[in-house]
Amino acid sequence: MTELNNSMASPNPSPAEYIGHHLTFFSKPIGDGGFWTLNVDTIAVSVLMGALGIGFFWWVARSATAGVPGKLQGLVEFVFDKIDENVRGIFHGDRHRFVAPLAFTVFIWVLLMNSMDFIPADLGAAVTQNISEHGFRLVPTADVNTTFALALTVWVLMIGTAIKVKGLGGFFHELFCAPFGSHPALWALNLLFNLVEYISKPLSHSLRLFGNIYAGEIIFLLLWMLAAVGLAGSIFAIPLALFWALFHLLIVLLQAYIFMMLTVVYIQMAHEGH
């Protein structure tokens, strides 16, 4: 708590001040500060995690051998083979050749961003408090802007895939004529039904990831507060924090996997008709 107390106006922050301090973004308004605002910490950490992932796989590919693979190469190949196997189970023919690398990239990037939740919030604030008053929020996927941006990117890929597979005319024909029929009296109903489906996909895709990671971030903050109460608080907080960290490891992996699989499923659904 020492680092936190040095960076906050109150020497003894209340629980609301403590949580609010760590949930404040380093934001920069664009123009007159109206609707457009950039969360600089989210963007910076997301780019850093993306560069780390690219650098890691470049390093693995550079040191890869055709013979018996090393432990690191074997781990990467195992993960990719499992993802490719899942994609093959959904796609048929050669369609998986683009989707499997995409799914692998999505999984690793989301996993890396989720994993930033294991860095103690006070440590992150102490390191970055000279850049921002409240320090950086280090978990990009705890920012709904990140998860929406990822989900909307997948949504655009899904729409683009549907147009490529069915043609522009076929896409709009399905939009107005499926699933209830092509009679002109049903066009409005078909359009409404399809719009609900198209709008709900990025909403559920993004909010599922955001909600789970954000909740994990809040629980970690509550545990740090409990540990700061004193000896009694530390006695309870330390085992609880260890248990939650182990459980949260499963959440971090599972949410990255779910986001990846929904990406694959949505793109696969674009190949099909009602």
Side-chain angles (χ1 to χ4, degrees):
M1 291 284 287
T2 303
E3 298 86 350
L4 177 61
N5 293 339
N6 292 335
S7 63
M8 294 183 66
S10 173
N12 296 302
S14 67
E17 289 175 330
Y18 178 78
I19 293 177
H21 170 80
H22 285 301
L23 295 184
T24 302
F25 291 104
F26 175 30
S27 299
K28 288 291 185 180
I30 299 177
D32 59 0
F35 178 76
W36 295 104
T37 301
L38 294 179
N39 291 338
V40 179
D41 41 7
T42 295
I43 295 173
V45 179
S46 299
V47 171
L48 178 61
M49 291 300 100
L52 180 63
I54 292 172
F56 171 72
F57 290 115
W58 174 82
W59 177 50
V60 171
R62 189 167 178 261
S63 59
T65 61
V68 179
K71 293 182 179 180
L72 188 59
Q73 180 185 344
L75 175 63
V76 172
E77 290 180 353
F78 172 79
V79 173
F80 183 80
D81 286 343
K82 286 298 180 182
I83 292 175
D84 185 65
E85 181 180 327
N86 287 332
V87 174
R88 284 176 181 271
I90 298 174
F91 280 82
H92 302 287
D94 296 333
R95 292 174 178 173
H96 78 283
R97 290 184 178 179
F98 165 75
V99 181
L102 172 66
F104 187 57
T105 303
V106 168
F107 175 75
I108 295 300
W109 195 19
V110 173
L111 178 62
L112 289 173
M113 291 191 289
N114 289 352
S115 299
M116 295 300 289
D117 210 7
F118 293 109
I119 297 178
D122 287 344
L123 177 60
V127 171
T128 59
Q129 65 181 357
N130 292 328
I131 304 175
S132 168
E133 177 186 357
H134 295 279
F136 276 21
R137 283 190 68 179
L138 296 179
V139 191
T141 44
D143 182 356
V144 71
N145 295 287
T146 301
T147 58
F148 260 111
L150 291 170
L152 287 174
T153 302
V154 174
W155 187 80
V156 170
L157 283 172
M158 180 187 70
I159 298 295
T161 300
I163 293 174
K164 179 182 178 181
V165 171
K166 303 166 186 176
L168 188 61
F171 173 76
F172 280 104
H173 179 270
E174 184 177 87
L175 199 62
F176 284 92
C177 299
F180 302 116
S182 58
H183 192 281
L186 298 173
W187 287 0
L189 182 61
N190 287 324
L191 178 62
L192 178 62
F193 180 88
N194 286 307
L195 285 179
V196 170
E197 180 181 352
Y198 277 114
I199 292 172
S200 65
K201 285 177 180 176
L203 286 174
S204 62
H205 201 189
S206 60
L207 293 178
R208 179 184 289 104
L209 175 60
F210 163 73
N212 281 277
I213 303 303
Y214 182 79
E217 186 180 33
I218 295 293
I219 292 175
F220 273 126
L221 290 175
L222 293 174
L223 291 171
W224 303 149
M225 288 173 52
L226 179 61
V229 171
L231 180 60
S234 298
I235 291 174
F236 284 102
I238 291 175
L240 286 174
L242 290 174
F243 170 78
W244 178 247
L246 291 174
F247 182 72
H248 197 59
L249 178 62
L250 176 62
I251 294 176
V252 163
L253 288 167
L254 185 61
Q255 289 305 312
Y257 178 78
I258 291 174
F259 194 91
M260 176 202 73
M261 288 306 299
L262 285 175
T263 298
V264 175
V265 169
Y266 289 163
I267 294 177
Q268 189 272 338
M269 290 174 65
H271 288 81
E272 299 180 346
H274 287 287

